Amino acid sequence: MNPDVILSMAMLERRPMNTTTSRLLIETMIRRTIKNLEDSPKRELRNLVDLALQFSSSNFQSRFFRSVQTMLKNENSAYYDLIHDTVAHVDEDRLVTFGMNIGYNGCKLGSKRIRDIEEIEKYNIPWSVTLHMTPDNYLKNKKTYDSIIEQGKSMGIYTWQCHIDSQPELLLPMAAAHPDCAFIIFCSPAAISPVLIDGAVELNNIMLAIRYEDGVEHICRSLRSHGLLYSIYYIYTRNDYNSIINDDLFYSIQQLHPIFTALVSDSSCPKVMCETIYEHILVLRDRQSLQTILWELKYDCSLIDSIISNEACIAEFLPNGALSLPYTQNIGTDCNLFHQ
């Protein structure tokens, strides 16, 4: 094993270790791995995952790193190419900060806090929250949204999925105010402006998720040239079933070099079709033949939450503030973040 890894393991075994020291040490190891990827990418990644697995402190972490460990045994995995391409084109500070905010803050510190509170208070806490917004309701309720994020962090929630069709640059100050969180901003290609790109370059805790539609190719080239993190998402209907199952959609999207390719069904798509598509996504992920990570927004978020807290809970807030709980009985407008 690499001597640096052995030294890091020895340091991790020292007890006690506070949160700041632990995060700093892990971040240092990640940066070292990134720098060494060009010379020996497979070895460096395997060493890092082996180390992470040895010191995983929860069921979720162990399960995740065991899965990654198994994947990395595939010498022909397209994920090696994805990682190499990402490291070559994304700013290192941005890659490390965003990853640490999700992985360390969200899936280590946050997940423990979620489980502790759920055990005492006997209610469910989602590991991430989805906020559907419009520019008008965001500007009108900025203080409320900021309060929601502060409350979320106190409960262990550090990952925020923000959907806004226009003027996504309005959300940049909110992301800047919470540098310990990871924000995924979903928007259309037409909403990507020079103002947004310039502002995003200054932040390390956001990922842009661009809808797959006309104009997306030009936008992805621009984001890539600026060293930004970005992914693609696609809202599918029953008419898209064949293009998803025969993988035409995925092979077209991967040409744009997104880290994730996220799918979400529209309201008219039958549940049995959604389940079949998700099963196909799981098969493709195991094959590791695509240079992008497939993700089904609701099913995969639900899976993560069920591992973290043993019972799945997905929470979305609609533009009018109403709480929606997918796959559970809808609470409706009686629970509203603008009123309660």
Side-chain angles (χ1 to χ4, degrees):
M1 183 177 287
N2 188 304
D4 288 336
V5 175
I6 295 175
L7 176 61
S8 298
M9 291 173 63
M11 293 176 67
L12 277 172
E13 286 177 341
R14 295 176 183 174
R15 295 293 185 265
M17 181 181 292
N18 62 40
T19 299
T20 302
T21 304
S22 176
R23 177 178 171 123
L24 181 60
L25 180 56
I26 293 171
E27 184 175 323
T28 300
M29 289 188 292
I30 291 174
R31 289 185 184 276
R32 182 184 298 132
T33 299
I34 290 174
K35 285 179 170 54
N36 294 335
L37 277 177
E38 188 170 344
D39 294 331
S40 53
K42 296 180 180 180
R43 186 187 65 191
E44 290 295 333
L45 287 171
R46 287 168 180 164
N47 284 344
L48 185 63
V49 172
D50 290 348
L51 181 63
L53 180 58
Q54 180 166 348
F55 289 95
S56 295
S57 58
S58 70
N59 178 50
F60 171 74
Q61 293 170 40
S62 298
R63 182 169 172 177
F64 173 77
F65 287 117
R66 277 197 300 270
S67 296
V68 175
Q69 190 180 53
T70 300
M71 287 182 173
L72 293 179
K73 292 178 181 178
N74 178 1
E75 294 286 339
N76 299 315
S77 173
Y79 293 158
Y80 281 119
D81 297 325
L82 170 63
I83 294 169
H84 187 273
D85 183 73
T86 300
V87 170
H89 291 91
V90 177
D91 178 81
E92 179 183 317
D93 288 339
R94 182 170 296 112
L95 193 59
V96 172
T97 299
F98 189 85
M100 290 292 290
N101 284 0
I102 287 184
Y104 187 81
N105 292 353
C107 294
K108 183 174 175 63
L109 300 183
S111 63
K112 183 181 186 305
R113 193 175 304 159
I114 286 172
R115 290 191 299 272
D116 289 346
I117 295 175
E118 287 182 339
E119 177 65 25
I120 296 172
E121 302 293 342
K122 308 301 180 185
Y123 58 73
N124 288 332
I125 301 172
W127 80 280
S128 71
V129 170
T130 298
L131 302 172
H132 296 272
M133 309 173 179
T134 66
D136 287 344
N137 78 3
Y138 174 72
L139 290 173
K140 182 180 178 181
N141 299 284
K142 283 198 298 184
K143 291 184 178 180
T144 299
Y145 282 116
D146 185 74
S147 175
I148 286 291
I149 294 170
E150 286 292 349
Q151 292 176 54
K153 287 193 293 184
S154 71
M155 300 165 75
I157 304 169
Y158 287 89
T159 304
W160 301 86
Q161 302 180 52
C162 305
H163 295 249
I164 186 165
D165 284 337
S166 61
Q167 296 181 267
E169 62 271 15
L170 294 175
L171 306 185
L172 296 180
M174 180 176 72
H178 301 279
D180 51 347
C181 288
F183 293 89
I184 307 167
I185 301 177
F186 294 78
C187 57
S188 68
I192 305 294
S193 65
V195 173
L196 173 64
I197 292 176
D198 290 344
V201 167
E202 300 300 319
L203 297 175
N204 292 329
N205 63 332
I206 67 170
M207 172 187 285
L208 297 174
I210 315 303
R211 189 183 307 146
Y212 188 63
E213 60 184 25
D214 289 345
V216 68
E217 295 90 350
H218 169 71
I219 292 302
C220 287
R221 283 196 297 270
S222 180
L223 298 177
R224 186 174 170 88
S225 68
H226 284 85
L228 293 173
L229 279 168
Y230 68 90
S231 292
I232 298 293
Y233 79 102
Y234 185 75
I235 302 174
Y236 68 89
T237 68
R238 64 178 69 209
N239 297 328
D240 295 308
Y241 180 78
N242 288 334
S243 67
I244 293 174
I245 294 299
N246 64 23
D247 303 336
D248 287 347
L249 176 67
F250 302 134
Y251 281 106
S252 296
I253 289 177
Q254 80 165 354
Q255 304 304 315
L256 303 175
H257 305 285
I259 295 177
F260 291 95
T261 294
L263 263 63
V264 59
S265 63
D266 80 343
S267 57
S268 67
C269 197
K271 185 176 181 181
V272 64
M273 182 179 290
C274 297
E275 291 173 346
T276 301
I277 287 173
Y278 183 51
E279 289 173 1
H280 184 63
I281 287 175
L282 294 177
V283 170
L284 289 178
R285 282 210 299 251
D286 285 341
R287 288 180 185 168
Q288 305 169 59
S289 57
L290 290 165
Q291 197 173 314
T292 181
I293 301 172
L294 301 184
W295 189 263
E296 210 289 336
L297 278 178
K298 292 182 179 178
Y299 281 99
D300 277 318
C301 285
S302 177
L303 174 63
I304 290 175
D305 198 83
S306 67
I307 297 171
I308 286 177
S309 53
N310 297 319
E311 187 173 43
C313 175
I314 305 178
E316 299 183 3
F317 288 98
L318 305 180
N320 65 0
L323 173 64
S324 174
L325 299 174
Y327 308 129
T328 60
Q329 184 176 356
N330 199 324
I331 292 180
T333 54
D334 287 343
C335 289
N336 191 295
L337 66 87
F338 300 145
H339 303 153
Q340 296 151 321

